[in-house]
Amino acid sequence: MSDKGLVRAYQPAFWLLQRIADASLIFFAHYVACALYPQSWSEKNTIATAVAIIAFHLVAESTGVYQSWRGAPLRSQANSVLTAWAFVVPVFLFFAFATQQSEAYSRIITTLWFLITPVSLVGLRWVERRTLSVLRSHGRNCRKVAILGATQIGMRLADRIEKDSSLGLKLEFIFDERSPDRLEPVKASFKLRQGHLDELVTMAKRGALDDIYIALPLRAERRISDLIKRLADTTVNVHYAPDFFTFDVLHSRWTQLGDFPVVSMLDSPFRGPAAVLKRIEDIVLGSIILALISIPMLFIGIVVKLSSPGPVFFRQKRYGLNGKEIGVLKFRSMSCCEDGPNVAQAKRNDPRVTRFGAFLRRTSLDELPQFLNVLLGEMSIVGPRPHAVAHNEYYRPLIYGYMLRHKVKPGITGWAQVNGWRGETDTVDKMEKRVEHDLAYINNWNLWWDLQIIIMTMLGRKKSLNAY
């Protein structure tokens, strides 16, 4: 093996070192938490750390933390790590309760430990990626690949490989046996080779390629099946980039129905560990925020009651997860409480909005009671904003994919809102932009993005645009 595979040659040792590094970081984070409080290290801390390390590694193996992440974005790898650590928290709490030692562990130190550890684990992945990126930009740890199929998706794969040296992939050529008039335009740097598939199989057997990406259309099923059978006699890694991923899909992923592999074309990202992680986020952050805002909510409620006649809270029917109706709580900001088949959106200088209500709407304080919806499991802190049922029924036939917003729980804030797409949608174009941002969030969700959106909601300037 050439020295160009410097890291790959020692990959088993690399994965072992990564497990040792993770265990060391979990211990180090606990030690730092004790030093910050401060508290001297004791035997109970050693036992707690050992429990956390064992639990993390058991979960990490099943959630794919230690699989190869070559080509995957950091947010996907970070999400996998955070999911594994999220399972450690209840395991540790159960251990402390079962051994009747819960009072022996400082809540402050434990909280610091639980916060420092995931940041450290993700930080380690970032450092690893930066190191590998530098090595790969100098030709180290690279894999020689070929793409079969001068198709649209084949060109997209080639562009990605060429532009992102951090992938560690060296595109040798694009192979296609069809006549030139049937091929997509191929850049000269991609080295188009035309010939019979025998030539490609021969190169694979000779060890000239590490990976082959098949980018042929689904109608070429017979050719694809034949090639895979022939490549089974080689050690090359074969990947298929099906053209149905060029469709307008939502969170597409491979899954299984019994023994049958299937592709989910329109699906929610919040299944399995991701759903647990999202719920833990909502309960933990929701409880903390609700405790902090309870006194301000009391004063707001008093002012709402004294400033205009009517109830303090307004509960409006809106679509929640999977299109089921939920009652969303808000502080009343209008002189009326509309909730029927025809609900007019609030406009600039709307006469229905009270003077104090205008302030609540501009600052989004009227949304604070929705943290109760979050704790009840009807909403999330971050997600697509729920619309009145009447507005949903109006827009769903006008905007393609509108109802896909309801593949996840609605949120108090969202990616559309922090980008200024909130408030009145007096044109279909404005609602389309809101839906576009909502679907982008669903397709690319990760925990760090949620935290970013929460911070942008509190500090961002765009959050008050169109709010009246």
Side-chain angles (χ1 to χ4, degrees):
M1 180 178 291
S2 70
D3 62 350
K4 295 295 183 182
L6 182 64
V7 176
R8 184 153 47 97
Y10 299 99
Q11 198 170 64
F14 175 76
W15 297 130
L16 176 61
L17 286 175
Q18 189 169 58
R19 288 165 171 81
I20 295 174
D22 286 344
S24 301
L25 281 177
I26 294 172
F27 166 77
F28 182 71
H30 200 178
Y31 187 85
V32 169
C34 288
L36 290 174
Y37 185 50
Q39 184 186 82
S40 58
W41 189 264
S42 64
E43 182 181 353
K44 69 177 184 294
N45 297 121
T46 302
I47 296 173
T49 305
V51 170
I53 290 173
I54 294 172
F56 177 80
H57 281 82
L58 288 175
V59 178
E61 294 292 347
S62 61
T63 58
V65 169
Y66 297 116
Q67 68 183 22
S68 174
W69 288 93
R70 183 191 294 261
L74 175 61
R75 63 174 178 269
S76 298
Q77 189 177 13
N79 193 42
S80 181
V81 171
L82 293 173
T83 300
W85 182 250
F87 277 93
V88 173
V89 176
V91 168
F92 171 77
L93 295 177
F94 175 78
F95 165 78
F97 173 78
T99 57
Q100 299 181 349
Q101 293 292 316
S102 56
E103 295 298 325
Y105 296 102
S106 166
R107 289 170 176 78
I108 295 177
I109 291 177
T110 302
T111 301
L112 286 173
W113 179 32
F114 286 163
L115 293 176
I116 295 172
T117 299
V119 174
S120 302
L121 293 172
V122 173
L124 174 63
R125 267 69 185 177
W126 182 84
V127 172
E128 290 173 354
R129 281 173 171 264
R130 296 301 302 169
T131 303
L132 289 173
S133 180
V134 172
L135 289 173
R136 289 165 179 171
S137 65
H138 290 83
R140 303 286 182 178
N141 190 231
C142 289
R143 301 179 68 86
K144 294 177 289 185
V145 304
I147 295 175
L148 172 60
T151 59
Q152 285 188 358
I153 197 166
M155 296 304 101
R156 289 172 59 188
L157 282 171
D159 277 328
R160 174 70 189 277
I161 292 171
E162 182 183 56
K163 293 177 181 177
D164 193 350
S165 61
S166 66
L167 297 176
L169 301 177
K170 181 183 178 183
L171 180 60
E172 298 292 320
F173 54 83
I174 295 177
F175 193 92
D176 206 305
E177 59 181 347
R178 297 175 298 170
S179 58
D181 59 301
R182 299 176 60 193
L183 309 181
E184 292 288 322
V186 179
K187 291 164 55 176
S189 60
F190 291 161
K191 302 177 185 177
L192 175 65
R193 296 183 64 165
Q194 292 181 273
H196 197 272
L197 288 179
D198 288 343
E199 181 182 353
L200 185 63
V201 175
T202 299
M203 294 187 68
K205 288 183 176 180
R206 199 169 64 237
L209 298 171
D210 294 308
D211 297 80
I212 295 176
Y213 289 85
I214 301 176
L216 298 177
L218 289 172
R219 60 179 176 273
E221 177 186 2
R222 183 172 297 178
R223 291 167 58 204
I224 295 171
S225 178
D226 177 64
L227 177 63
I228 291 176
K229 288 179 181 178
R230 298 173 67 184
L231 291 175
D233 189 35
T234 74
T235 58
V236 71
N237 297 315
V238 182
H239 315 273
Y240 180 44
D243 57 356
F244 51 68
F245 283 120
T246 61
F247 299 161
D248 191 6
V249 298
L250 181 77
H251 197 71
S252 55
R253 64 187 179 93
W254 286 103
T255 183
Q256 283 187 294
L257 182 63
D259 295 331
F260 293 93
V262 296
V263 177
S264 298
M265 307 291 283
L266 302 174
D267 202 359
S268 168
F270 302 128
R271 295 190 183 279
V276 175
L277 182 61
K278 180 72 167 175
R279 186 60 183 147
I280 290 174
E281 172 198 341
D282 286 335
I283 293 175
V284 173
L285 293 182
S287 299
I288 294 173
I289 294 173
L290 198 56
L292 294 174
I293 66 175
S294 57
I295 301 301
M297 282 180 62
L298 176 61
F299 283 105
I300 291 173
I302 293 173
V303 177
V304 169
K305 189 65 177 177
L306 296 177
S307 61
S308 62
V312 172
F313 297 107
F314 170 44
R315 192 175 183 92
Q316 189 178 52
K317 291 181 180 178
R318 303 197 174 186
Y319 283 157
L321 181 64
N322 296 323
K324 295 180 179 178
E325 284 191 4
I326 60 173
V328 174
L329 277 173
K330 299 179 70 173
F331 281 120
R332 182 178 56 82
S333 58
M334 292 185 174
S335 57
C336 59
C337 298
E338 296 179 347
D339 186 17
N342 297 300
V343 178
Q345 290 187 347
K347 305 177 183 295
R348 189 181 298 276
N349 300 319
D350 195 313
R352 298 171 300 167
V353 179
T354 65
R355 291 183 61 184
F356 186 59
F359 167 74
L360 292 178
R361 297 173 75 89
R362 187 169 59 254
T363 56
S364 298
L365 292 175
D366 61 323
E367 314 284 359
L368 293 183
Q370 289 166 31
F371 282 99
L372 295 172
N373 290 108
V374 171
L375 294 185
L376 290 172
E378 297 173 332
M379 294 180 63
S380 286
I381 297 176
V382 181
R385 281 293 299 155
H387 300 153
V389 172
H391 298 157
N392 278 313
E393 296 305 318
Y394 174 77
Y395 284 110
R396 65 189 300 178
L398 299 179
I399 301 176
Y400 174 76
Y402 178 87
M403 291 301 291
L404 296 179
R405 303 170 70 253
H406 303 291
K407 289 287 186 180
V408 300
K409 292 179 183 178
I412 297 176
T413 186
W415 183 235
Q417 282 63 46
V418 297
N419 282 281
W421 298 105
R422 58 165 298 183
E424 182 187 11
T425 50
D426 51 353
T427 66
V428 175
D429 289 345
K430 290 182 179 180
M431 182 60 80
E432 284 179 340
K433 292 299 294 183
R434 183 184 295 185
V435 172
E436 177 186 322
H437 281 73
D438 288 338
L439 298 186
Y441 168 79
I442 296 173
N443 262 320
N444 301 285
W445 174 83
N446 62 78
L447 182 60
W448 293 118
W449 199 6
D450 272 4
L451 298 179
Q452 177 188 349
I453 291 172
I454 292 172
I455 294 172
M456 291 175 68
T457 300
M458 295 186 293
L459 305 178
R461 295 181 178 180
K462 293 183 178 181
K463 64 185 177 66
S464 60
L465 294 178
N466 304 319
Y468 36 79

